[in-house]
Amino acid sequence: QVQVVESGGGLAQAGGALGLSCTGSRLAFDDYAMGWFRQAPGNEREGVSCITSSGRTTYYADSVKGRFTISRDNAKTTVYLQMNGLKPEDTAMYYCAAPKSRACLGSWPTHGAFNYWGQGTQVTVSS
């Protein structure tokens, strides 16, 4: 069974930084695009970023563009999300997920198009 496990969440002050990691197992990791989503209480789950299976192309939500960076290391079956310039509105549960595709286009940012999900990691940004 495919497993996707996030780590690295925590508490940060506004303007600070946090890094998230997501490790996949029991899947051909380099055959899958990987996406990060987040969901705050009372809000819809929203797409934050996506990276193609090769790592050559990345996508970002407008709200995080210029502050967050997605990357991946296929040898380590891990995708990363570096979050800089954090804002209180970045507070949410962050999820890593994979669609059944090498591309982000056609899937991200639609969370329903992603098939394999982690349990999430909490990010809290204080003002």
Side-chain angles (χ1 to χ4, degrees):
Q1 185 173 346
V2 172
Q3 287 189 328
V4 178
V5 180
E6 305 94 340
S7 61
L11 178 64
Q13 290 189 331
L18 282 173
L20 305 182
S21 299
C22 168
T23 299
S25 60
R26 303 193 185 99
L27 79 167
F29 189 80
D30 54 2
D31 280 345
Y32 292 85
M34 296 298 295
W36 285 98
F37 293 78
R38 66 186 181 187
Q39 188 167 19
N43 288 0
E44 295 274 327
R45 189 167 297 192
E46 63 170 341
V48 174
S49 185
C50 187
I51 187 167
T52 56
S53 61
S54 66
R56 292 193 190 100
T57 307
T58 57
Y59 303 83
Y60 296 93
D62 288 343
S63 58
V64 305
K65 205 170 291 184
R67 298 188 297 121
F68 290 12
T69 303
I70 191 171
S71 61
R72 66 189 293 159
D73 184 337
N74 285 346
K76 295 181 178 179
T77 67
T78 300
V79 61
Y80 306 94
L81 186 69
Q82 179 62 39
M83 306 182 293
N84 298 330
L86 284 164
K87 303 177 181 180
E89 51 264 43
D90 294 320
T91 295
M93 186 72 79
Y94 282 70
Y95 298 91
C96 176
K100 288 184 179 178
S101 172
R102 297 186 178 198
C104 294
L105 291 178
S107 301
W108 190 84
T110 305
H111 64 82
F114 282 67
N115 305 95
Y116 306 116
W117 289 85
Q119 294 300 305
T121 185
Q122 178 68 37
V123 170
T124 303
V125 183
S126 62
S127 57

